[in-house]
Amino acid sequence: MIGWNPGKTQFDQGFESFKDIFPQIDLLILNQEEAEFFTKLKAKPSQNLSTEIGINIDKSDINLKINNIQNLAEKFLQAGVKCLIITDGSRGAQLFTETEHFYANGE
C-alpha cells in the first residue's frame, strides 16, 4: 500500500507533474486548501451536503455546514488515486473512493 501526503514542493510542481504517479497512490491525504491549490479548482459551499451528493453522514446533524469538495475529489480519482482524504480543520474530513464518499465530524 502506498500513501502520500504531498507538501508545498509538490504543489508548486503542479498536478500534471504527477499524472504518472497518481495511479500508484492507494491513499492520498490533503487539506482542502492544498487540494484546491494542487487542482486549481475551488470547493463549492453547501447548505445540505447530505442530500446534495448523498454523502454518508448522520442525518440528525441538520446544522452540518461543510463544503462540497466532490469536484476536487473527482480530479484526483480520475487521475488514478484509489482513496482520497481531504481534511478541513474543525469541519472534519471527507473520504472518497471511486464508489463511496464518507464524512467524519471534526469535533
Side-chain angles (χ1 to χ4, degrees):
M1 177 177 210
I2 297 175
W4 188 35
N5 183 329
K8 184 171 177 6
T9 302
Q10 290 81 38
F11 303 139
D12 288 342
Q13 291 176 31
F15 189 91
E16 292 301 314
S17 297
F18 298 95
K19 65 181 181 180
D20 294 332
I21 294 173
F22 286 133
Q24 299 173 45
I25 303 299
D26 296 304
L27 176 62
L28 178 62
I29 302 171
L30 305 163
N31 67 41
Q32 181 180 310
E33 292 79 16
E34 293 168 338
E36 289 175 330
F37 184 78
F38 212 7
T39 62
K40 306 293 185 229
L41 299 171
K42 287 289 185 186
K44 301 171 185 172
S46 179
Q47 292 294 319
N48 191 350
L49 198 58
S50 62
T51 59
E52 188 173 313
I53 59 175
I55 192 170
N56 297 315
I57 63 170
D58 179 357
K59 304 294 188 211
S60 66
D61 191 356
I62 59 173
N63 295 318
L64 181 66
K65 291 201 168 101
I66 58 175
N67 291 324
N68 181 337
I69 55 174
Q70 189 148 1
N71 60 329
L72 305 174
E74 286 174 0
K75 181 137 184 170
F76 288 106
L77 295 172
Q78 289 171 359
V81 172
K82 293 161 196 68
C83 183
L84 171 69
I85 295 174
I86 299 179
T87 63
D88 192 15
S90 64
R91 292 186 184 135
Q94 296 179 56
L95 179 144
F96 298 86
T97 69
E98 186 177 310
T99 60
E100 297 180 298
H101 180 187
F102 295 95
Y103 168 77
N105 190 326
E107 296 178 356

XYZ file of all heavy atoms in Angstrom:
852
model
N 0.848 -1.179 0.000
C 0.000 0.000 0.000
C 0.890 1.237 0.000
O 1.840 1.323 0.762
C -0.912 -0.012 1.219
C -1.770 1.215 1.308
S -2.898 1.108 2.710
C -4.220 2.052 2.089
N 0.545 2.212 -0.833
C 1.313 3.450 -0.917
C 0.427 4.614 -0.499
O -0.632 4.838 -1.082
C 1.849 3.691 -2.344
C 2.810 2.574 -2.730
C 2.539 5.047 -2.426
C 3.298 2.645 -4.142
N 0.861 5.323 0.537
C 0.184 6.524 0.997
C 1.053 7.731 0.705
O 2.281 7.630 0.679
N 0.411 8.879 0.479
C 1.165 10.089 0.147
C 0.479 11.304 0.739
O -0.733 11.471 0.619
C 1.277 10.219 -1.367
C 2.178 11.309 -1.854
C 3.336 11.750 -1.290
C 2.007 12.080 -3.041
N 3.892 12.740 -2.057
C 3.093 12.964 -3.140
C 1.033 12.106 -4.033
C 3.245 13.872 -4.182
C 1.184 13.001 -5.083
C 2.282 13.870 -5.148
N 1.267 12.125 1.393
C 0.812 13.412 1.905
C 1.781 14.447 1.339
O 2.775 14.789 1.975
C 0.830 13.407 3.439
C 0.297 14.696 4.024
O 0.432 15.759 3.444
N -0.287 14.597 5.182
N 1.490 14.938 0.110
C 2.427 15.856 -0.539
C 2.533 17.183 0.186
O 1.656 17.556 0.970
C 1.839 16.033 -1.938
C 0.389 15.722 -1.785
C 0.291 14.708 -0.674
N 3.596 17.895 -0.100
C 3.842 19.205 0.502
C 3.981 20.293 -0.548
O 3.774 20.068 -1.740
N 4.365 21.463 -0.101
C 4.442 22.652 -0.958
C 5.301 22.440 -2.199
O 4.948 22.894 -3.280
C 4.952 23.835 -0.155
C 4.969 25.123 -0.962
C 5.260 26.319 -0.112
C 5.371 27.617 -0.844
N 5.085 27.705 -2.224
N 6.409 21.733 -2.058
C 7.283 21.493 -3.211
C 6.524 20.776 -4.318
O 6.629 21.141 -5.494
C 8.507 20.655 -2.788
O 9.197 21.352 -1.758
C 9.436 20.413 -3.941
N 5.728 19.762 -3.951
C 4.952 19.031 -4.946
C 3.818 19.895 -5.505
O 3.557 19.868 -6.709
C 4.372 17.738 -4.350
C 5.417 16.685 -4.063
C 6.159 16.918 -2.759
O 5.579 17.354 -1.766
N 7.452 16.635 -2.751
N 3.157 20.666 -4.647
C 2.079 21.530 -5.128
C 2.608 22.538 -6.136
O 1.969 22.814 -7.150
C 1.394 22.265 -3.969
C 0.841 21.353 -2.917
C 0.975 21.675 -1.582
C 0.191 20.175 -3.240
C 0.469 20.847 -0.600
C -0.316 19.332 -2.261
C -0.173 19.676 -0.938
N 3.796 23.082 -5.861
C 4.395 24.058 -6.767
C 4.736 23.442 -8.127
O 4.737 24.136 -9.134
C 5.653 24.676 -6.150
C 5.345 25.633 -5.000
O 4.185 26.096 -4.886
O 6.262 25.917 -4.216
N 5.021 22.136 -8.148
C 5.332 21.462 -9.410
C 4.088 21.286 -10.275
O 4.194 21.149 -11.485
C 5.972 20.105 -9.149
C 7.360 20.210 -8.566
C 7.941 18.850 -8.229
O 7.641 17.856 -8.883
N 8.749 18.800 -7.190
N 2.927 21.270 -9.639
C 1.671 21.186 -10.376
C 1.129 19.772 -10.508
O 1.869 18.791 -10.480
N -0.167 19.715 -10.662
C -0.919 18.459 -10.749
C -0.404 17.566 -11.871
O -0.197 16.365 -11.689
C -2.406 18.798 -10.972
C -3.331 17.629 -10.861
C -3.904 17.293 -9.653
C -3.651 16.871 -11.976
C -4.777 16.220 -9.543
C -4.519 15.798 -11.873
C -5.081 15.469 -10.662
N -0.199 18.133 -13.047
C 0.206 17.360 -14.224
C 1.560 16.682 -14.050
O 1.826 15.658 -14.677
C 0.199 18.238 -15.476
C -1.190 18.665 -15.905
C -2.120 17.501 -16.210
O -1.708 16.556 -16.907
O -3.269 17.536 -15.735
N 2.407 17.224 -13.209
C 3.727 16.630 -12.977
C 3.635 15.244 -12.342
O 4.603 14.484 -12.387
C 4.566 17.530 -12.067
O 4.795 18.766 -12.672
N 2.483 14.927 -11.765
C 2.324 13.673 -11.037
C 1.335 12.715 -11.704
O 0.930 11.724 -11.111
C 1.924 13.961 -9.585
C 2.969 14.745 -8.868
C 2.883 16.129 -8.794
C 4.074 14.116 -8.318
C 3.874 16.874 -8.165
C 5.076 14.851 -7.686
C 4.974 16.224 -7.612
N 0.968 12.983 -12.960
C -0.034 12.154 -13.634
C 0.380 10.687 -13.736
O -0.465 9.808 -13.730
C -0.384 12.717 -15.006
C 0.749 12.704 -15.990
C 0.338 13.292 -17.306
C 1.532 13.227 -18.270
N 1.213 13.768 -19.546
N 1.677 10.404 -13.790
C 2.141 9.021 -13.838
C 2.234 8.395 -12.442
O 2.287 7.173 -12.317
C 3.510 8.933 -14.522
C 3.440 9.318 -15.996
O 2.368 9.143 -16.610
O 4.458 9.800 -16.526
N 2.257 9.216 -11.422
C 2.370 8.733 -10.046
C 0.999 8.473 -9.421
O 0.832 7.521 -8.657
C 3.176 9.738 -9.194
C 4.626 9.775 -9.712
C 3.129 9.396 -7.711
C 5.491 10.824 -9.083
N 0.004 9.297 -9.748
C -1.320 9.163 -9.132
C -1.884 7.733 -9.195
O -2.429 7.253 -8.194
C -2.311 10.156 -9.727
C -2.089 11.572 -9.280
C -2.074 12.601 -10.208
C -1.905 11.898 -7.951
C -1.870 13.914 -9.805
C -1.711 13.209 -7.536
C -1.692 14.221 -8.474
N -1.776 7.010 -10.317
C -2.343 5.653 -10.340
C -1.671 4.676 -9.372
O -2.227 3.620 -9.076
C -2.129 5.206 -11.794
C -2.036 6.472 -12.565
C -1.348 7.445 -11.641
N -0.512 5.011 -8.873
C 0.189 4.149 -7.921
C -0.180 4.458 -6.466
O 0.189 3.714 -5.558
C 1.699 4.318 -8.097
C 2.178 3.942 -9.480
C 3.640 4.273 -9.667
O 4.459 3.986 -8.802
N 3.964 4.876 -10.785
N -0.913 5.553 -6.237
C -1.239 6.011 -4.885
C -2.514 5.333 -4.393
O -3.577 5.470 -4.983
C -1.420 7.549 -4.846
C -0.184 8.268 -5.360
C -1.804 8.008 -3.451
C 1.072 8.010 -4.568
N -2.381 4.591 -3.291
C -3.542 3.953 -2.676
C -4.292 4.926 -1.767
O -5.513 4.873 -1.675
C -3.110 2.736 -1.853
C -2.504 1.661 -2.731
O -3.173 1.225 -3.682
O -1.349 1.278 -2.483
N -3.569 5.802 -1.072
C -4.179 6.747 -0.140
C -3.480 8.095 -0.245
O -2.273 8.196 -0.020
C -4.079 6.235 1.298
C -4.594 7.170 2.396
C -6.089 7.442 2.214
C -4.322 6.580 3.769
N -4.236 9.121 -0.600
C -3.728 10.488 -0.692
C -4.428 11.314 0.370
O -5.657 11.270 0.488
C -4.011 11.061 -2.080
C -3.592 12.505 -2.340
C -2.083 12.667 -2.210
C -4.057 12.948 -3.716
N -3.651 12.053 1.166
C -4.217 12.874 2.242
C -3.794 14.320 2.030
O -2.602 14.632 1.931
C -3.732 12.384 3.620
C -4.103 10.919 3.833
C -4.327 13.253 4.730
C -3.482 10.289 5.059
N -4.798 15.210 1.963
C -4.574 16.649 1.774
C -5.580 17.417 2.612
O -6.640 16.893 2.944
C -4.833 17.055 0.309
C -4.099 16.341 -0.795
C -4.799 16.584 -2.114
C -2.682 16.854 -0.858
N -5.286 18.684 2.882
C -6.342 19.522 3.431
C -7.021 20.223 2.258
O -6.550 20.160 1.116
C -5.837 20.477 4.518
C -4.905 21.549 4.006
O -5.111 22.134 2.943
N -3.860 21.837 4.775
N -8.140 20.871 2.518
C -8.914 21.462 1.435
C -8.122 22.508 0.659
O -8.163 22.532 -0.566
C -10.200 22.082 1.975
C -11.051 22.689 0.866
C -12.312 23.308 1.379
O -13.039 22.667 2.136
N -12.587 24.529 0.976
N -7.396 23.358 1.365
C -6.636 24.412 0.694
C -5.561 23.811 -0.219
O -5.334 24.297 -1.326
C -5.994 25.356 1.713
C -6.991 26.202 2.481
C -7.689 25.449 3.624
O -7.207 24.364 4.046
O -8.739 25.926 4.076
N -4.916 22.754 0.239
C -3.898 22.087 -0.581
C -4.530 21.466 -1.823
O -3.989 21.572 -2.930
C -3.190 21.003 0.237
C -2.344 21.548 1.364
C -1.878 20.480 2.330
O -2.493 19.396 2.422
O -0.862 20.741 3.024
N -5.675 20.820 -1.648
C -6.367 20.200 -2.780
C -6.781 21.250 -3.802
O -6.664 21.033 -5.014
C -7.581 19.412 -2.291
N -7.253 22.414 -3.325
C -7.634 23.486 -4.235
C -6.408 24.013 -4.988
O -6.466 24.225 -6.202
C -8.308 24.631 -3.469
C -9.687 24.287 -2.972
C -10.304 25.384 -2.115
O -9.578 26.133 -1.434
O -11.536 25.487 -2.136
N -5.321 24.226 -4.274
C -4.102 24.738 -4.894
C -3.560 23.755 -5.927
O -3.185 24.127 -7.028
C -3.047 25.037 -3.823
C -1.795 25.668 -4.368
C -1.763 27.013 -4.690
C -0.647 24.911 -4.562
C -0.612 27.600 -5.201
C 0.507 25.479 -5.063
C 0.526 26.833 -5.390
N -3.543 22.475 -5.564
C -2.990 21.434 -6.432
C -3.822 21.272 -7.701
O -3.280 21.150 -8.794
C -2.950 20.118 -5.653
C -1.824 19.190 -6.008
C -0.796 19.533 -6.862
C -1.787 17.922 -5.443
C 0.235 18.650 -7.155
C -0.764 17.034 -5.727
C 0.251 17.406 -6.592
N -5.146 21.273 -7.568
C -6.029 21.031 -8.719
C -6.395 22.307 -9.479
O -6.911 22.220 -10.582
C -7.343 20.372 -8.281
O -8.038 21.256 -7.397
C -7.103 19.028 -7.619
N -6.171 23.450 -8.857
C -6.602 24.748 -9.422
C -8.123 24.846 -9.520
O -8.679 25.555 -10.348
C -5.979 25.010 -10.800
C -4.478 24.907 -10.845
C -3.811 25.995 -10.054
C -2.306 25.938 -10.225
N -1.565 25.978 -9.009
N -8.823 24.118 -8.637
C -10.277 24.159 -8.543
C -10.666 24.726 -7.189
O -9.856 24.738 -6.274
C -10.865 22.752 -8.690
C -10.602 22.020 -9.997
C -11.064 20.561 -9.891
C -11.292 22.719 -11.153
N -11.908 25.151 -7.049
C -12.416 25.667 -5.778
C -13.546 24.782 -5.272
O -14.367 24.296 -6.052
C -12.955 27.096 -5.949
C -11.877 28.130 -6.133
C -11.139 28.319 -4.846
C -10.130 29.434 -4.943
N -9.328 29.533 -3.749
N -13.582 24.598 -3.961
C -14.697 23.890 -3.324
C -15.946 24.739 -3.471
O -15.874 25.960 -3.617
C -14.393 23.640 -1.854
N -17.096 24.072 -3.405
C -18.369 24.770 -3.513
C -19.055 24.764 -2.150
O -19.227 23.699 -1.563
C -19.258 24.070 -4.535
C -18.631 24.010 -5.913
C -19.439 23.127 -6.829
C -18.717 22.980 -8.150
N -19.352 22.001 -9.012
N -19.442 25.939 -1.641
C -20.173 25.956 -0.362
C -21.468 25.161 -0.497
O -22.076 25.129 -1.561
C -20.477 27.432 -0.135
C -19.562 28.170 -1.036
C -19.252 27.260 -2.187
N -21.880 24.513 0.564
C -23.092 23.711 0.513
C -23.899 23.905 1.784
O -23.347 23.935 2.867
C -22.735 22.237 0.356
O -23.904 21.468 0.330
N -25.182 24.002 1.644
C -26.079 24.115 2.790
C -26.483 22.741 3.302
O -26.576 22.521 4.478
C -27.336 24.905 2.406
C -27.060 26.362 2.133
C -26.612 27.097 3.373
O -27.136 26.887 4.448
N -25.623 27.960 3.236
N -26.760 21.809 2.402
C -27.240 20.490 2.806
C -26.534 19.424 1.983
O -27.097 18.855 1.074
C -28.751 20.396 2.628
C -29.315 19.150 3.273
O -28.581 18.274 3.697
N -30.625 19.068 3.338
N -25.302 19.174 2.331
C -24.473 18.263 1.562
C -25.010 16.843 1.553
O -24.878 16.132 0.571
C -23.053 18.279 2.120
C -21.954 17.729 1.232
C -21.901 18.472 -0.087
C -20.624 17.819 1.923
N -25.656 16.414 2.631
C -26.118 15.030 2.706
C -27.137 14.711 1.619
O -27.131 13.622 1.072
C -26.700 14.729 4.077
O -27.821 15.531 4.323
N -28.010 15.640 1.287
C -28.976 15.363 0.231
C -28.433 15.786 -1.126
O -28.828 15.252 -2.144
C -30.303 16.103 0.490
O -30.046 17.497 0.563
C -30.948 15.621 1.758
N -27.500 16.710 -1.136
C -26.967 17.216 -2.395
C -26.143 16.168 -3.139
O -26.251 16.023 -4.344
C -26.101 18.446 -2.112
C -25.641 19.183 -3.326
C -24.935 20.464 -2.928
O -25.450 21.206 -2.080
O -23.863 20.703 -3.481
N -25.303 15.425 -2.414
C -24.446 14.459 -3.098
C -24.486 13.078 -2.472
O -23.687 12.226 -2.807
C -22.995 14.962 -3.190
C -22.410 15.226 -1.822
C -22.887 16.173 -4.068
C -20.954 15.608 -1.824
N -25.400 12.843 -1.557
C -25.566 11.512 -0.996
C -24.454 11.055 -0.075
O -24.184 9.873 0.040
N -23.824 11.983 0.581
C -22.733 11.634 1.495
C -23.267 10.817 2.662
O -24.410 10.992 3.079
C -22.033 12.918 1.977
C -20.733 12.607 2.691
C -22.921 13.749 2.848
C -19.899 13.854 2.954
N -22.464 9.908 3.162
C -22.859 9.063 4.287
C -22.577 9.775 5.601
O -21.471 9.744 6.109
C -22.091 7.741 4.239
C -22.420 6.948 3.008
O -23.579 6.825 2.656
N -21.418 6.436 2.338
N -23.580 10.457 6.134
C -23.430 11.162 7.405
C -24.634 10.876 8.281
O -25.637 10.350 7.821
C -23.295 12.689 7.213
C -24.564 13.272 6.572
C -22.068 13.041 6.416
C -24.615 14.771 6.562
N -24.508 11.241 9.529
C -25.612 11.129 10.461
C -26.646 12.191 10.085
O -26.395 13.385 10.209
C -25.097 11.351 11.890
C -26.197 11.271 12.927
O -27.383 11.096 12.559
O -25.857 11.383 14.112
N -27.803 11.767 9.619
C -28.835 12.696 9.148
C -29.397 13.568 10.270
O -30.055 14.556 10.024
C -29.984 11.939 8.485
C -29.562 11.037 7.349
C -29.018 11.800 6.183
C -28.804 10.843 5.027
N -27.764 11.134 4.137
N -29.122 13.223 11.531
C -29.628 14.028 12.638
C -28.828 15.322 12.788
O -29.245 16.233 13.482
C -29.585 13.238 13.944
O -28.246 12.964 14.306
N -27.685 15.406 12.146
C -26.848 16.608 12.237
C -27.315 17.631 11.204
O -26.664 17.869 10.204
C -25.381 16.250 12.024
C -24.451 17.395 12.379
O -24.950 18.491 12.716
O -23.235 17.203 12.304
N -28.477 18.223 11.437
C -29.087 19.105 10.449
C -28.358 20.430 10.302
O -28.579 21.148 9.344
C -30.580 19.367 10.777
C -30.714 19.999 12.161
C -31.390 18.097 10.660
C -32.121 20.446 12.508
N -27.481 20.770 11.222
C -26.745 22.033 11.137
C -25.386 21.882 10.468
O -24.587 22.804 10.476
C -26.565 22.638 12.529
C -27.892 23.032 13.131
O -28.740 23.574 12.442
N -28.080 22.735 14.395
N -25.126 20.730 9.878
C -23.843 20.465 9.251
C -23.595 21.431 8.094
O -24.407 21.531 7.185
C -23.819 19.023 8.738
C -22.542 18.578 8.076
C -21.411 18.543 9.107
C -22.727 17.203 7.467
N -22.484 22.150 8.164
C -22.123 23.073 7.090
C -20.696 22.773 6.674
O -19.741 23.261 7.266
C -22.268 24.511 7.552
C -23.717 24.892 7.755
C -23.915 26.377 7.720
C -25.381 26.679 7.638
N -26.046 27.064 8.787
N -20.572 21.915 5.692
C -19.267 21.575 5.148
C -19.273 21.903 3.669
O -20.332 22.031 3.058
C -18.910 20.093 5.389
C -19.962 19.171 4.779
C -18.721 19.809 6.859
C -19.617 17.694 4.880
N -18.103 22.059 3.120
C -18.005 22.400 1.710
C -18.163 21.175 0.826
O -17.764 20.075 1.187
C -16.659 23.067 1.423
C -16.565 24.431 2.043
O -17.546 25.170 2.100
N -15.400 24.779 2.527
N -18.727 21.396 -0.346
C -18.844 20.353 -1.352
C -17.517 20.316 -2.105
O -17.220 21.201 -2.902
C -20.008 20.673 -2.290
C -20.199 19.619 -3.352
O -19.269 18.883 -3.680
N -21.384 19.553 -3.901
N -16.726 19.305 -1.829
C -15.401 19.187 -2.436
C -15.342 18.033 -3.434
O -14.276 17.583 -3.820
C -14.303 19.030 -1.360
C -14.615 17.847 -0.445
C -14.144 20.314 -0.565
C -13.509 17.532 0.543
N -16.504 17.590 -3.859
C -16.552 16.459 -4.774
C -15.814 16.760 -6.080
O -15.171 15.882 -6.639
C -17.999 16.059 -5.065
C -18.070 14.754 -5.823
C -19.305 13.963 -5.491
O -20.136 14.394 -4.702
N -19.422 12.805 -6.078
N -15.862 18.001 -6.556
C -15.143 18.342 -7.786
C -13.632 18.167 -7.617
O -12.943 17.725 -8.536
C -15.477 19.755 -8.250
C -15.122 20.833 -7.249
O -15.154 20.614 -6.028
N -14.793 22.011 -7.726
N -13.122 18.478 -6.434
C -11.697 18.280 -6.154
C -11.385 16.790 -6.134
O -10.405 16.338 -6.735
C -11.324 18.899 -4.805
C -11.652 20.371 -4.588
C -11.337 20.768 -3.154
C -10.899 21.243 -5.562
N -12.221 16.031 -5.435
C -12.003 14.587 -5.311
C -12.033 13.907 -6.675
O -11.201 13.049 -6.971
C -13.045 13.979 -4.386
N -12.976 14.301 -7.512
C -13.101 13.674 -8.825
C -11.838 13.834 -9.655
O -11.438 12.918 -10.365
C -14.311 14.231 -9.570
C -15.620 13.703 -9.018
C -16.842 14.353 -9.639
O -16.704 15.236 -10.520
O -17.957 13.977 -9.226
N -11.191 14.980 -9.549
C -9.959 15.199 -10.316
C -8.881 14.196 -9.903
O -8.201 13.624 -10.753
C -9.472 16.635 -10.140
C -8.223 16.927 -10.922
C -8.255 18.248 -11.601
C -6.996 18.414 -12.438
N -7.047 19.551 -13.287
N -8.725 13.984 -8.595
C -7.725 13.022 -8.116
C -8.119 11.587 -8.462
O -7.282 10.796 -8.886
C -7.530 13.157 -6.603
C -6.806 14.402 -6.204
C -7.480 15.457 -5.619
C -5.436 14.532 -6.417
C -6.817 16.614 -5.240
C -4.753 15.687 -6.042
C -5.452 16.733 -5.458
N -9.394 11.246 -8.277
C -9.841 9.887 -8.562
C -9.727 9.575 -10.049
O -9.307 8.483 -10.431
C -11.272 9.683 -8.059
C -11.456 9.762 -6.539
C -12.935 9.733 -6.172
C -10.697 8.662 -5.821
N -10.068 10.533 -10.900
C -9.936 10.331 -12.344
C -8.476 10.194 -12.763
O -8.172 9.550 -13.763
C -10.610 11.473 -13.110
C -12.114 11.420 -13.016
C -12.793 12.657 -13.587
O -12.162 13.595 -14.042
N -14.120 12.655 -13.543
N -7.584 10.779 -11.976
C -6.149 10.662 -12.257
C -5.589 9.320 -11.791
O -4.440 9.002 -12.083
C -5.391 11.807 -11.597
N -6.400 8.538 -11.054
C -5.981 7.202 -10.660
C -5.776 6.964 -9.180
O -5.511 5.826 -8.767
N -5.892 7.998 -8.344
C -5.777 7.804 -6.892
C -6.929 6.905 -6.444
O -8.073 7.109 -6.849
C -5.822 9.165 -6.153
C -5.908 8.969 -4.659
C -4.620 10.012 -6.530
N -6.627 5.909 -5.628
C -7.654 4.941 -5.221
C -8.501 5.407 -4.041
O -9.695 5.133 -3.983
C -7.000 3.601 -4.922
C -6.421 2.969 -6.186
C -5.408 1.906 -5.853
C -4.545 1.541 -7.042
N -3.623 2.578 -7.486
N -7.895 6.097 -3.091
C -8.610 6.580 -1.911
C -8.047 7.948 -1.547
O -6.832 8.127 -1.509
C -8.430 5.603 -0.757
S -9.340 6.063 0.734
N -8.934 8.892 -1.305
C -8.538 10.267 -1.032
C -9.204 10.743 0.248
O -10.406 10.551 0.441
C -8.979 11.162 -2.195
C -8.861 12.665 -2.016
C -7.393 13.082 -1.978
C -9.585 13.386 -3.136
N -8.419 11.364 1.124
C -8.966 12.010 2.311
C -8.633 13.490 2.208
O -7.468 13.868 2.037
C -8.371 11.429 3.610
C -8.774 9.969 3.766
C -8.825 12.260 4.821
C -8.133 9.265 4.938
N -9.675 14.321 2.305
C -9.492 15.774 2.322
C -9.988 16.274 3.668
O -11.164 16.103 4.012
C -10.223 16.470 1.164
C -9.673 15.967 -0.179
C -10.079 17.988 1.277
C -10.336 16.574 -1.401
N -9.086 16.867 4.433
C -9.422 17.386 5.759
C -9.805 18.858 5.654
O -9.406 19.551 4.716
C -8.244 17.218 6.730
O -7.135 17.996 6.266
C -7.838 15.756 6.844
N -10.570 19.325 6.637
C -10.987 20.730 6.663
C -11.091 21.222 8.110
O -12.128 21.721 8.540
C -12.311 20.897 5.922
C -12.659 22.361 5.661
O -11.760 23.229 5.784
O -13.825 22.645 5.336
N -10.009 21.048 8.859
C -9.944 21.550 10.229
C -11.103 21.086 11.084
O -11.459 19.909 11.100
N -11.732 22.026 11.777
C -12.825 21.691 12.692
C -14.076 21.209 11.963
O -14.994 20.681 12.587
C -13.170 22.896 13.563
O -13.647 23.953 12.755
N -14.114 21.379 10.646
C -15.263 20.891 9.866
C -15.158 19.409 9.559
O -16.049 18.837 8.944
C -15.381 21.674 8.558
C -15.778 23.108 8.761
C -16.015 23.756 7.414
N -16.309 25.149 7.589
C -15.774 26.110 6.869
N -14.921 25.837 5.910
N -16.098 27.360 7.093
N -14.052 18.784 9.931
C -13.920 17.346 9.752
C -13.136 16.967 8.514
O -12.315 17.728 8.006
N -13.419 15.781 8.027
C -12.712 15.241 6.866
C -13.696 14.456 6.010
O -14.704 13.946 6.507
C -11.568 14.341 7.313
N -13.369 14.372 4.733
C -14.172 13.580 3.814
C -13.264 12.567 3.131
O -12.140 12.884 2.763
C -14.853 14.474 2.781
C -15.850 15.437 3.417
C -16.520 16.336 2.414
O -17.126 15.868 1.458
N -16.419 17.643 2.639
N -13.764 11.356 3.001
C -13.035 10.276 2.354
C -13.764 9.913 1.071
O -14.992 9.786 1.071
C -12.964 9.062 3.278
C -12.244 7.845 2.721
C -11.477 7.143 3.827
C -13.186 6.878 2.040
N -13.002 9.756 -0.003
C -13.567 9.424 -1.303
C -12.870 8.208 -1.892
O -11.649 8.088 -1.814
C -13.363 10.578 -2.297
C -14.028 11.854 -1.918
C -13.390 12.763 -1.084
C -15.279 12.186 -2.412
C -13.984 13.969 -0.745
C -15.883 13.379 -2.073
C -15.244 14.274 -1.237
N -13.662 7.326 -2.494
C -13.149 6.279 -3.363
C -13.958 6.397 -4.647
O -14.839 7.265 -4.757
C -13.322 4.867 -2.766
O -14.707 4.535 -2.736
C -12.698 4.753 -1.387
N -13.718 5.506 -5.569
C -14.469 5.550 -6.826
C -15.967 5.386 -6.606
O -16.777 5.961 -7.321
C -13.956 4.444 -7.752
C -14.559 4.487 -9.128
C -13.971 3.422 -10.022
O -12.733 3.318 -10.084
O -14.761 2.696 -10.666
N -16.347 4.643 -5.565
C -17.767 4.344 -5.351
C -18.346 4.851 -4.036
O -19.553 4.747 -3.833
C -17.996 2.815 -5.395
O -17.206 2.204 -4.369
C -17.623 2.245 -6.754
N -17.501 5.376 -3.136
C -18.001 5.784 -1.826
C -17.520 7.180 -1.444
O -16.490 7.648 -1.914
C -17.561 4.781 -0.759
C -18.132 3.393 -0.991
C -17.687 2.432 0.069
O -16.480 2.196 0.192
O -18.587 1.923 0.779
N -18.296 7.799 -0.558
C -17.991 9.131 -0.044
C -18.472 9.181 1.399
O -19.653 8.990 1.668
C -18.705 10.184 -0.897
C -18.472 11.583 -0.455
N -19.148 12.633 -1.016
C -17.655 12.132 0.463
C -18.760 13.771 -0.443
N -17.848 13.474 0.459
N -17.534 9.404 2.331
C -17.870 9.436 3.742
C -17.418 10.754 4.360
O -16.473 11.380 3.889
C -17.177 8.292 4.495
C -17.651 6.931 4.065
C -16.960 6.226 3.097
C -18.783 6.371 4.633
C -17.391 4.966 2.699
C -19.220 5.103 4.243
C -18.518 4.418 3.272
N -18.069 11.115 5.445
C -17.735 12.312 6.194
C -17.447 11.924 7.642
O -18.155 11.106 8.216
C -18.903 13.307 6.174
C -18.756 14.430 7.143
C -17.907 15.491 6.881
C -19.441 14.419 8.354
C -17.755 16.528 7.793
C -19.297 15.449 9.274
C -18.446 16.496 8.980
O -18.300 17.503 9.883
N -16.375 12.507 8.208
C -16.078 12.317 9.624
C -16.090 13.693 10.293
O -15.399 14.612 9.847
C -14.707 11.672 9.798
N -16.876 13.819 11.339
C -17.017 15.070 12.072
C -15.674 15.484 12.677
O -14.921 14.645 13.165
C -18.066 14.865 13.170
C -18.462 16.149 13.840
O -17.672 17.060 14.003
N -19.715 16.221 14.235
N -15.383 16.775 12.671
C -14.132 17.273 13.193
C -14.116 17.499 14.693
O -13.100 17.893 15.235
N -15.214 17.287 15.362
C -15.276 17.522 16.808
C -14.764 16.348 17.589
O -14.820 15.250 17.246
C -16.714 17.848 17.219
C -17.181 19.140 16.595
C -18.616 19.468 16.933
O -19.304 18.670 17.593
O -19.055 20.534 16.545
